[in-house]
Amino acid sequence: RKEVEQDPGPFNVPEGATVAFNCTYSNSASQSFFWYRQDCRKEPKLLMSVYSSGNEDGRFTAQLNRASQYISLLIRDSKLSDSATYLCVVPLSGNTPLVFGKGTRLSVIA
Amino acid sequence: DVKVTQSSRYLVKRTGEKVFLECVQDMDHENMFWYRQDPGLGLRLIYFSYDVKMKEKGDIPEGYSVSREKKERFSLILESASTNQTSMYLCASSFGGGASGELFFGEGSRLTVL
């Protein structure tokens, strides 16, 4: 299994839709997980951190399933401004740098 | 406001030239990183540093070197640029205490090697 794996998409959804992305990781010892957002031609920026079972921030919910080694990102009531690439990020072990997935591209269509 | 500044947004160099990419952060972060990002390959770690004068190889260090003489500055050096080093280069920094802190990225340096 690759260290961090994501469906590249693109996911094309209408405004107002609910969309979910999954990310699988290989290291069962990983403790913390992150979702970064990258707009076209911009740098990645932290969207959410996931340290236990999950995290919710407004329309965004991140969930962790340790048994199956995946994290998910759910976006409710999609907005045009949600169009971006979403990067799943996992540390392999305590002091090693974060490993980035290749990203899932989302396009929200009017 | 947190800031990571990369010296050049766009560079065009010729094969064999020596290239310096500079990165400065103003957050007093211990950790600094250099990534390259290519379509279909995502972000790949080139080198990183957890302290001044310290450096560690990432996943793809071949053809690159780094320098960290001061805490706030982390430089990426291409000793002899090649066309396969045409890419977007992203510098990032994070607070110390392990590698799991939030990464703050610069705006990127797009390098074209002819």
Side-chain angles (χ1 to χ4, degrees), chain A residues 91-105:
Chain A
L92 292 185
S93 63
N95 208 34
T96 59
L98 301 172
V99 177
F100 282 77
K102 293 180 182 179
T104 297
R105 192 154 58 92

Side-chain angles (χ1 to χ4, degrees), chain A residues 2 4-8 23 38 85-89 99-105, chain B residues 37-44:
Chain A
K2 293 181 182 175
V4 182
E5 209 157 353
Q6 294 182 252
D7 181 343
C23 166
Q38 186 173 24
T85 296
Y86 292 85
L87 304 167
C88 172
V89 187
V99 177
F100 282 77
K102 293 180 182 179
T104 297
R105 192 154 58 92
Chain B
Q37 187 172 31
D38 301 286
L41 298 177
L43 276 95
R44 293 181 291 166

Side-chain angles (χ1 to χ4, degrees), chain A residues 5-24:
Chain A
E5 209 157 353
Q6 294 182 252
D7 181 343
F11 285 64
N12 299 314
V13 302
E15 275 187 289
T18 295
V19 62
F21 317 130
N22 279 348
C23 166
T24 58

